[in-house]
Amino acid sequence: MGKAVLIFVLGSIALFGIINFNMNESVGVASQNSIDKFKETYARNIANGVASMLVSRIADSTTYRATSTQNISSVLGGSANYRVIDTTIAGQTYIKIDVRGIYSGKTKSSIVLAQIPTGGFIPTTVKAAISTNNKVVTSGTLTVDGRDHDLNGNLIAGQGTLGLWSTQDISQDGSSKIGGTFSGTDYAAAKPANSNTVNEDATYSGGYPNTPDSVMGGRAKGFPTGTLKSLAQSSVNGSQYTTNPSFLSFPLKGVTYVELPSGGIWTSSNIDGTGILVIHNSTTNAVIKNENLGIFKGLILADDIVHLHTTVIGAIISITPSPSEGNTIGNGSGTVLFSRQALINGIGEIINAANFGFAKTRITISYWYE
Amino acid sequence: MGQLLELLGASIIGGFIMLIGFTLNMQISDSSREIFQSTYNQRSAITASQVIEYDLYKAGYAATGEKVTQADSNAVKFRSDFDNNGTIDTIYYYTGAISAMTSTSNPNDKQLFRKINSQSANLVSVITRFNIVYYDSIGNQLSYSSLSSSVQRAKIRGMRTYVKTELPDAINNLYNPMEWREIIRPKNLL
C-alpha cells in the first residue's frame, strides 16, 4: 500500500511538472503575442515619424531627394531606412517617400506620395496690369505699366503684358501714362499710349468672372467658391478677414479679404503688404477708394477700385460691370507695375497653405500608405 | 486488532493523499486547458486586429471620389488600393449570423468576414462582437443614421474598432472574453 501511494505521489509530481511546463509555455506565448503587437505598433510609429520628418525636410528644401537607401541607426528607440524619389503614377508626378521603421526585429513600412510644390501662378484672368469689366479712366499722373518688373519695380525686358484691358472703353486723361508689352516688344509708359498696350471693348471668352474665386481660376485651379474667404478666415500665413478695414494689421500677408456691406467704401486706404487683396461682397459693389498708403505686391481683386494714389507691383482686377465714379482708376500719382514675380509670390503665399508641412514651403500629401 | 487499525489508518491517509492528488491534477488540467484556450482566444483577437488594422489604415489610399461607401455599426465598406498595385479595391468587413455557428456551444459567437471586390469573402476570425464607431475631424461621433448619406460619410476621419472574442466552448461556465479596441485615423481620409 505504502509503495503504491509513493508511486502515485511521484507520478502526480511528474504529471504536475509536465503540465506546469506546458502552462508556462502557453503563458509565454500569450505574453509574446502582446509583445509582438507592441513592437509592430512601435515600428509603425517609427516609420510614420520618419516619414513626417522627411516631409518637413522637403518642405524646407523642395529639391531634397535620396535616390539610394539611407539608414538611420537610431531613431525613436529603433532604426529606419528610407528613400525619397520622384515617381509618376497615372500621369501625375509625385515625390515618393518610402520608409521602413524597424523596432526589435519587427518592420513596418510607410509610403507617402506628396505633390511637387508648384508655388504660385498667374491667373489667366490677368490680361494686363489692370483688367476691368467696365469703363476705365486714367487721370492725374497715374502710370500703368504692363511691362514685367521684379519685386522692387525694376524692369524685366520682353516678358510683360498689356497695360490696360477692359470689356468696355478705356480713356486716358490728364498726364496719365500707359505702357506694356506686346509680342515680346516693350512699350514704355506714354501718353498717348501705344495702341499695342491697351485692349478695350474686349470679349472675355466664357464670360467675365464675377467672384474672386472664379478670377483665380475656380475649382480647376484649387479655388472652388468660398476658398479665398475661408483661407482668410483661417488666418493661414497671416491672412485676414474683416468687414471693417480699420481692424486690419499691417503689413498685409496671404489673403486679405475685406467684405464690405452693399455699396460699402473702404476709403483712404492703406494697402501695405503682399499676397492677395480682395475687396468684395455678394452684390459685387464693394469699393476701395483713395488708396493713399503703402506699397502692395501681389494681386488686387476688387469689385470696384478707384483713385489709386500709391504703388501696386503685380496686377489689379476689377470685377464690377457698373463702377462708381466712372471708374477713374487713378487721378493722382499712383503707379501700377505689372510683375510676374510679385503675382507668383503673392499667390504662392497661400497655395497649398491648407495642407501639411511646417517649413517655408507647404507640401500637399496626396496619399499615405501605411 | 492493532494491525487492523494500522491498515485502516493507512488506507484513510492514503485515500486522502490520492484524493488530493486527483483534485490537484484536475485543477491543473482545467487551468492548463483554460490557459491554452485563452492563448488561442488572444491569438484570434490579435489576428483580427492585425487584419483590420492593415486594411483600415489604408482606407482611401489612392482613391478619388467617395472613399467610405458604407458605414454601419458592424459593417464597413471602403475603397483603397490596399495592395498598392495601382488598382482601387473595395474592402468590405461584415459579420455572419450567430446561427451559422452550430458546432460551438458559445451562444454569441459569429464569423467576421473580409470581402475584396467581388471575390468570395474570407473568414478573418470568430468573434462575439464587432463594432465600429465613426468620428469626424474634431472627434465628434457621427450617428449611424446620418451615415446613410454620402455627404456625412465624407466627414469620417476616425474609426474606433472594437472586437471581442470568446472561447467556442465554456470552461467552468466561462468563455474567457478577450477585447481589442483601437481608434484608427486613416491618413487618406484627411
Side-chain angles (χ1 to χ4, degrees), chain A residues 260-312:
Chain A
L260 299 175
S262 180
I265 301 173
W266 176 19
T267 190
S268 300
S269 45
N270 180 356
I271 58 171
D272 184 42
T274 59
I276 302 173
L277 173 58
V278 180
I279 303 98
H280 177 68
N281 60 27
S282 57
T283 44
T284 325
N285 62 4
V287 181
I288 179 169
K289 180 178 180 181
N290 296 333
E291 301 87 333
N292 296 336
L293 294 172
I295 296 174
F296 186 80
K297 297 178 181 180
L299 180 61
I300 296 180
L301 305 176
D303 289 343
D304 191 354
I305 178 167
V306 291
H307 301 180
L308 177 74
H309 300 147
T310 185
T311 300
V312 174

Side-chain angles (χ1 to χ4, degrees), chain A residues 5 8-9 12 15-16 19 23 26-27 29-30 33-34 37 40 44 48 111 113 367-370, chain B residues 17-18 25 28 32 35-36 39 42-43 46 49-50 53-54 57-58 61-63 81-82 84 187-188:
Chain A
V5 170
F8 177 78
V9 169
S12 294
L15 190 63
F16 173 78
I19 293 174
M23 281 170 59
S26 293
V27 170
V29 169
N33 285 338
S34 301
K37 176 79 175 162
E40 286 170 1
R44 181 194 297 120
N48 284 334
I111 299 171
L113 296 176
Y367 304 112
W368 194 304
Y369 187 86
E370 60 170 318
Chain B
I17 290 172
M18 287 178 72
N25 271 342
I28 290 173
S32 175
I35 289 173
F36 272 124
T39 307
Q42 185 199 34
R43 193 66 248 171
I46 288 177
S49 74
Q50 284 174 329
E53 270 186 358
Y54 180 86
Y57 273 116
K58 297 172 181 65
Y61 175 70
D81 179 11
F82 79 102
N84 204 18
K187 291 185 172 61
N188 299 290

Side-chain angles (χ1 to χ4, degrees), chain A residues 73-333:
Chain A
S73 58
S74 178
V75 59
L76 303 171
S79 61
N81 56 64
Y82 65 89
R83 285 194 315 154
V84 180
I85 59 172
D86 288 334
T87 188
T88 302
I89 298 173
Q92 171 86 41
T93 304
Y94 297 99
I95 302 169
K96 180 181 180 182
I97 301 165
D98 190 351
V99 183
R100 275 167 180 71
I102 303 157
Y103 181 78
S104 193
K106 295 287 179 186
T107 301
K108 285 282 182 181
S109 65
S110 280
I111 299 171
V112 180
L113 296 176
Q115 288 179 25
I116 294 174
T118 54
F121 62 94
I122 299 176
T124 55
T125 44
V126 175
K127 304 288 188 189
I130 299 174
S131 310
T132 77
N133 190 26
N134 47 60
K135 287 183 179 176
V136 59
V137 178
T138 60
S139 185
T141 57
L142 177 72
T143 298
V144 181
D145 194 343
R147 294 178 296 173
D148 195 19
H149 298 79
D150 67 13
L151 295 176
N152 297 315
N154 300 313
L155 194 65
I156 298 173
Q159 297 181 33
T161 184
L162 302 179
L164 263 166
W165 184 99
S166 176
T167 56
Q168 298 181 40
D169 296 338
I170 295 172
S171 300
Q172 188 178 13
D173 294 346
S175 301
S176 63
K177 295 176 181 174
I178 301 173
T181 304
F182 182 75
S183 294
T185 302
D186 289 328
Y187 298 91
K191 187 189 178 197
N194 186 292
S195 60
N196 285 332
T197 64
V198 295
N199 189 357
E200 58 185 336
D201 299 318
T203 301
Y204 192 98
S205 177
Y208 199 88
N210 58 4
T211 65
D213 294 304
S214 57
V215 168
M216 295 298 294
R219 182 175 293 279
K221 277 289 187 182
F223 288 87
T225 303
T227 301
L228 285 168
K229 185 173 174 178
S230 65
L231 283 170
Q233 288 172 327
S234 73
S235 301
V236 64
N237 279 5
S239 296
Q240 300 176 75
Y241 169 84
T242 186
T243 54
N244 184 347
S246 65
F247 292 150
L248 288 172
S249 299
F250 294 92
L252 307 177
K253 288 184 71 180
V255 179
T256 304
Y257 199 111
V258 180
E259 185 166 17
L260 299 175
S262 180
I265 301 173
W266 176 19
T267 190
S268 300
S269 45
N270 180 356
I271 58 171
D272 184 42
T274 59
I276 302 173
L277 173 58
V278 180
I279 303 98
H280 177 68
N281 60 27
S282 57
T283 44
T284 325
N285 62 4
V287 181
I288 179 169
K289 180 178 180 181
N290 296 333
E291 301 87 333
N292 296 336
L293 294 172
I295 296 174
F296 186 80
K297 297 178 181 180
L299 180 61
I300 296 180
L301 305 176
D303 289 343
D304 191 354
I305 178 167
V306 291
H307 301 180
L308 177 74
H309 300 147
T310 185
T311 300
V312 174
I313 300 176
I316 295 172
I317 293 181
S318 173
I319 298 172
T320 181
S322 310
S324 59
E325 308 192 27
N327 202 16
T328 303
I329 200 148
N331 59 359
S333 57

Side-chain angles (χ1 to χ4, degrees), chain A residues 19-73:
Chain A
I19 293 174
N20 198 34
F21 177 77
N22 286 334
M23 281 170 59
N24 282 339
E25 275 212 329
S26 293
V27 170
V29 169
S31 300
Q32 194 59 46
N33 285 338
S34 301
I35 292 166
D36 286 348
K37 176 79 175 162
F38 169 78
K39 287 177 179 175
E40 286 170 1
T41 304
Y42 212 97
R44 181 194 297 120
N45 290 344
I46 290 172
N48 284 334
V50 171
S52 298
M53 291 178 205
L54 290 167
V55 168
S56 292
R57 184 165 182 174
I58 294 167
D60 272 334
S61 173
T62 56
T63 56
Y64 172 75
R65 302 289 185 274
T67 51
S68 59
T69 303
Q70 305 293 307
N71 294 302
I72 306 175
S73 58

